[in-house]
Amino acid sequence: MSHTTAPRTAPRPVHAEPPAIREPAHVPVAHVVREGIVEGVHYGSVVVLAADGSVEFEAGDIEAAFYPRSALKPVQAVGLLRAGLLPPDTESLALTAASHSGEDRHLATARRILSAAGLTEDDLRNVPDLPYGTAMRERWLRSGFGPTRLAQNCSGKHASMLMTAKARGWPLENYLDPGHPLQWQLAVTVEDLTEQSIARVTLDGCGAPLFSVSLHGLTRAVARLATAAPDTDEGRVADAMREHPELVSGTGRDVALLMRAVPGLIAKDGFEGVQIAALPDGRAVGVKIADGADRARMPVTAAALARCGVDPQVLAAFARTPVLGGGKEVGSLRAAGALASLPTGSDRSARPR
């Protein structure tokens, strides 16, 4: 962690060694098939945890250091609660863990968090951006609006960071400094829930500190949230996500639809092809697509959830992406390799040999 003039509130406890910083040994996890020919291959890594926390399935390199990107937000939300966050309502807590689409309710909830803390959008330090959701972005631009900090998809997390810092009497102007006591507390929570030391700290796209762990550690953390009692900080975050999946992502987004389709599931995506999901009994999956391709993220996640025992028919809508030719379906993108051994819905295209 970098040095800052703000005092750290407590030493970080000792955890397991940080994951190794190396080139991950990813393997093929998805094929793009057009009329029976493999047109493209996506490499990546996948881990499936059993209810007891043991590794039930793995592919690629689940122990190398990587950046979870926004998939870490539910863990950071727990850290904010531990640090003193008092969200106005469960909607605000869900938005704290969100990569939102910039819909009216997302912006209203972010404003509510700021207002409850006596703050405004001017206090935010995230990078201004257009709404993440395609429909909202187009509407935003038609209305003549440009990039703003509130519209940026991480504004809920940043608003809650500010609320927590103000409640603790910590400086607000440098709340994104990696050595700020708020970020120090979040690092402690990340290491606690992943059960490993942080390998490296950088800045995420929004400007907030980003902590590098392993895919295995990240998946272990989300399993702890999913199994936590409702009166714990972990359980509060998980329940808020379950109650408000569209606030965690957006209307029609695949993460929200997946949480609606699988009872009790909590799920969060992240840029660069990251996805985590966990069931209330502790079964959990973690996915990293090597080239960051978002199109492969959900089909691979669906195949991993099938390995968890989720009904393949429930997952069928997420398990494949049509490949089009002349406006007609001529193939699909779907899980490959060992992940393809369980059915997750029908496919018109020939299975590659």
Side-chain angles (χ1 to χ4, degrees):
M1 310 280 287
S2 67
H3 296 290
T4 181
T5 55
R8 294 165 178 166
T9 57
R12 279 160 58 186
V14 177
H15 291 277
E17 289 296 311
I21 298 175
R22 61 177 180 239
E23 181 179 348
H26 294 303
V27 298
V29 293
H31 284 167
V32 181
V33 181
R34 186 182 295 268
E35 290 296 354
I37 291 178
V38 177
E39 185 175 38
V41 179
H42 289 288
Y43 283 69
S45 295
V46 180
V47 61
V48 176
L49 300 183
D52 63 2
S54 62
V55 176
E56 187 160 295
F57 173 85
E58 64 178 292
D61 193 344
I62 68 171
E63 303 296 354
F66 89 125
Y67 290 117
R69 303 301 298 271
S70 287
L72 193 62
K73 284 177 179 172
V75 178
Q76 291 172 304
V78 173
L80 288 170
L81 289 175
R82 291 182 179 183
L85 173 67
L86 297 173
D89 42 48
T90 57
E91 291 91 341
S92 299
L93 185 53
L95 197 76
T96 301
S99 298
H100 65 72
S101 292
E103 298 170 25
D104 291 344
R105 58 180 163 174
H106 297 140
L107 305 187
T109 304
R111 289 192 188 96
R112 192 159 65 249
I113 297 170
L114 291 168
S115 177
L119 302 168
T120 70
E121 182 178 355
D122 292 338
D123 294 296
L124 294 170
R125 292 292 180 268
N126 57 318
V127 177
D129 202 355
L130 298 171
Y132 179 72
T134 302
M136 289 308 305
R137 188 184 312 120
E138 292 175 352
R139 175 181 148 193
W140 193 263
L141 291 171
R142 285 197 304 270
S143 299
F145 300 137
T148 71
R149 298 186 192 277
L150 199 70
Q152 198 267 340
N153 75 87
C154 304
S155 63
K157 178 180 75 173
H158 282 258
S160 290
M161 284 181 174
L162 281 167
M163 172 179 261
T164 306
K166 185 168 183 182
R168 293 295 300 269
W170 292 333
L172 301 184
E173 64 277 1
N174 66 332
Y175 75 94
L176 296 182
D177 188 314
H180 190 282
L182 174 70
Q183 301 301 336
W184 191 255
Q185 293 278 51
L186 295 187
V188 169
T189 299
V190 169
E191 292 187 331
D192 173 40
L193 294 179
T194 62
E195 300 178 22
Q196 60 187 181
S197 297
I198 292 167
R200 185 161 292 174
V201 181
T202 186
L203 294 182
D204 208 341
C206 64
L210 176 62
F211 309 112
S212 178
V213 293
S214 70
L215 185 63
H216 186 184
L218 177 68
T219 309
R220 188 162 47 222
V222 73
R224 289 183 62 177
L225 268 66
T227 58
D231 59 350
T232 64
D233 293 330
E234 295 92 325
R236 289 176 64 194
V237 172
D239 285 346
M241 294 175 69
R242 292 181 181 118
E243 186 177 353
H244 307 288
E246 285 80 16
L247 280 173
V248 177
S249 54
T251 303
R253 294 260 298 276
D254 55 19
V255 172
L257 295 173
L258 183 64
M259 282 195 277
R260 291 290 186 195
V262 183
L265 186 79
I266 61 172
K268 184 69 187 74
D269 55 340
F271 279 152
E272 296 300 321
V274 182
Q275 180 72 55
I276 50 173
L279 293 157
D281 65 359
R283 290 173 292 161
V285 306
V287 170
K288 163 62 181 172
I289 305 301
D291 62 1
D294 191 63
R295 67 178 185 173
R297 172 181 52 82
M298 192 52 70
V300 173
T301 299
L305 284 170
R307 287 248 167 201
C308 271
V310 177
D311 184 352
Q313 294 305 310
V314 172
L315 297 169
F318 307 94
R320 60 191 300 276
T321 301
V323 170
L324 302 180
K328 299 178 181 179
E329 184 175 338
V330 295
S332 69
L333 186 157
R334 58 184 301 128
L339 278 172
S341 62
L342 285 178
T344 51
S346 61
D347 190 355
R348 287 174 41 193
S349 62
R351 179 64 60 87
R353 291 180 173 84

